[in-house]
Amino acid sequence: MAFNVLFIDDDIFMLRALQRTAVRLRPDDNFIMCNQETAWQNTLSTGMVPDAVFCDYLMPLKNGDKVLKEIEHIHPSAVRILLTGNTTEDVISSVSNVAHFVLSKPFVDDDLNYVFSCLERLNALMLSPKIRNEVGRHSYFFSLPETTVKIQRLFSQPEMNITEAANLIEQDSVVTAKIIQLANSAFLGYRRHTTSLTEALKRLGLRLAEAIVVSISIEQRMLGTVSAQVHKRCSDWAYRYATACRQNSKLLGFNTEMQDLISVAALLTGLGHFVVAADYPDYTPDSHQAPINFDVGLSADPVTLRAVFLLTLWGFSFDLCEIISQQDTPDLVAADGDEPMLNLVMFVSKLALNKKVNSESLLMLKSRIKSKAVIDWLDKVLAD
């Protein structure tokens, strides 16, 4: 699919550099250039909706965050990217409610490729225009803190030094404490206590440690947005859900790697509850009444979709986002491979956690599953 991409910068030389690089990287896309920040609407063809908008931050008539706010109002589905030479925490904080990405100038090829990769994956989610507009219009899509981004990048390196990771994480005492706490909890099942962050990271594994770092960043960001009571309920729900998924996948004989994967998926699903709570002050995960979908093809819970949308923008893998997005619509008939079974474990764990299973729904669920081993597992997890 070819994207419509709008570049806005009062510096004509920077605009041309962006155009040259973008055309070289994405020759089939449609790039629209605008060097007047107050006239960007006039550069779009009638009826054209940009898939992404790159906008400079410092401009003479109107700063980029104000321009992106206009774009959010008129074209909420567009992914918004701010270009700036100042990536201090103050700037990031001031634009975090309007920009999905903040890229430093001068930019490099990898910066643009990263954004375009996320665009492709968002498109692959097949979200309806209504959902895209809805989630794009809300102000809870913020950029991750700089320290969290550094940790993500470090964890993505093929030969990452775990001591280096520990030194970076130790800069945040809240994250350090939470990782050590989880490494010593029943969540992983270790009997020997540790106070070493390095050993805690080894126990958790890099994939799960990264998810914990991100989830804590979300929780900290939401502290000023939702009430303390709702904040605690959302946080507790996410960790209870991750624990339940891990325990239930272990009952089915999944290896440690798969247990880690489902724990990560469950933990990050909690993001959806935080972002909904930001819009509805009385909302809690316990009050959420998601539909019980026993048929393939039905749409995922809107709470889940919000989490997937944001995680995609943050660069989490397509496979992980797929597992999260399909947890509400498992393929019950095909529940014999790893991925369908992960979806089923998440589906069942969520039903149990939200206390939404009665004898009728359990019977209906069991009637769709062919494997006797899985049916026996359901009886252990869900039976009264």
Side-chain angles (χ1 to χ4, degrees):
M1 173 183 176
F3 295 115
N4 295 317
V5 181
L6 174 62
F7 288 105
I8 306 171
D9 198 321
D10 65 295
D11 184 340
I12 192 67
F13 297 106
M14 177 59 71
L15 204 57
R16 288 172 179 169
L18 278 167
Q19 184 179 31
R20 286 194 300 271
T21 303
V23 170
R24 175 168 51 81
L25 295 175
R26 306 275 303 187
D28 296 329
D29 287 353
N30 180 31
F31 298 104
I32 306 99
M33 304 294 142
C34 175
N35 67 340
Q36 294 182 337
E37 62 270 33
T38 58
W40 64 267
Q41 293 185 63
N42 298 332
T43 64
L44 297 175
S45 303
T46 302
M48 177 185 287
V49 176
D51 295 292
V53 179
F54 290 75
C55 187
D56 189 32
Y57 180 48
L58 287 177
M59 294 184 288
L61 299 179
K62 189 180 293 185
N63 278 352
D65 56 333
K66 302 294 191 302
V67 176
L68 291 182
K69 192 66 180 176
E70 293 175 359
I71 289 165
E72 176 191 355
H73 179 70
I74 299 171
H75 300 297
S77 64
V79 172
R80 302 179 292 275
I81 306 99
L82 196 75
L83 302 170
T84 177
N86 183 356
T87 55
T88 62
E89 288 291 340
D90 289 343
V91 171
I92 300 297
S93 298
S94 69
V95 303
S96 62
N97 283 342
V98 68
H100 297 117
F101 296 93
V102 179
L103 301 184
S104 61
K105 296 169 65 175
F107 62 90
V108 295
D109 288 6
D110 286 347
D111 294 331
L112 296 186
N113 277 327
Y114 176 68
V115 173
F116 289 128
S117 172
C118 288
L119 275 175
E120 290 175 344
R121 289 169 49 203
L122 286 174
N123 184 61
L125 291 175
M126 302 297 289
L127 300 181
S128 69
K130 179 178 181 295
I131 290 288
R132 281 293 298 266
N133 285 335
E134 181 183 343
V135 296
R137 189 173 284 115
H138 286 66
S139 62
Y140 47 65
F141 294 112
F142 49 88
S143 302
L144 287 174
E146 186 178 3
T147 301
T148 303
V149 173
K150 287 181 180 178
I151 292 170
Q152 278 191 303
R153 289 176 178 171
L154 184 62
F155 282 5
S156 68
Q157 295 176 6
E159 297 182 3
M160 197 275 295
N161 186 312
I162 201 164
T163 302
E164 185 180 353
N167 291 338
L168 184 57
I169 291 172
E170 281 178 340
Q171 297 176 23
D172 191 319
S173 58
V174 175
V175 173
T176 300
K178 191 67 178 182
I179 285 178
I180 292 177
Q181 177 193 3
L182 285 173
N184 287 303
S185 70
F187 184 69
L188 293 179
Y190 283 94
R191 295 181 181 276
R192 183 175 60 82
H193 187 83
T194 183
T195 57
S196 164
L197 179 57
T198 300
E199 183 174 346
L201 289 173
K202 290 178 180 177
R203 289 184 179 185
L204 291 168
L206 299 184
R207 189 204 303 259
L208 184 52
E210 178 190 5
I212 292 168
V213 170
V214 171
S215 65
I216 294 172
S217 296
I218 295 162
E219 292 174 18
Q220 292 175 326
R221 172 65 169 77
M222 290 295 180
L223 274 172
T225 307
V226 302
S227 70
Q229 183 180 28
V230 171
H231 185 280
K232 186 177 187 307
R233 287 184 178 179
C234 289
S235 178
D236 288 349
W237 184 93
Y239 284 100
R240 282 189 289 121
Y241 183 36
T243 300
C245 285
R246 189 179 194 91
Q247 291 173 342
N248 290 332
S249 63
K250 187 175 183 179
L251 281 175
L252 280 171
F254 278 93
N255 60 30
T256 301
E257 182 180 357
M258 298 302 287
Q259 292 175 38
D260 287 347
L261 177 58
I262 198 171
S263 300
V264 169
L267 190 63
L268 293 175
T269 298
L271 168 61
H273 290 294
F274 273 108
V275 295
V276 174
D279 286 334
Y280 302 96
D282 296 329
Y283 174 88
T284 65
D286 300 327
S287 66
H288 177 57
Q289 296 297 319
I292 300 178
N293 297 331
F294 292 122
D295 294 314
V296 178
L298 294 181
S299 60
D301 180 359
V303 173
T304 304
L305 288 176
R306 284 164 171 77
V308 173
F309 189 90
L310 186 47
L311 291 169
T312 300
L313 288 176
W314 283 345
F316 280 83
S317 72
F318 177 80
D319 291 342
L320 177 61
C321 290
E322 275 285 285
I323 290 170
I324 295 173
S325 67
Q326 293 176 8
Q327 64 183 280
D328 303 307
T329 56
D331 188 343
L332 302 178
V333 176
D336 53 4
D338 283 347
E339 186 172 322
M341 277 305 303
L342 285 177
N343 294 145
L344 179 61
V345 170
M346 295 184 75
F347 180 74
V348 169
S349 299
K350 187 184 288 186
L351 289 180
L353 187 64
N354 293 346
K355 298 180 173 57
K356 293 187 62 176
V357 181
N358 53 36
S359 57
E360 181 181 353
S361 60
L362 177 58
L363 185 62
M364 184 182 299
L365 182 60
K366 290 166 65 175
S367 70
R368 306 292 183 91
I369 296 175
K370 307 302 181 185
S371 169
K372 184 180 184 305
V374 175
I375 291 175
D376 291 342
W377 168 78
L378 281 172
D379 285 332
K380 291 180 183 178
V381 175
L382 294 178
D384 294 333

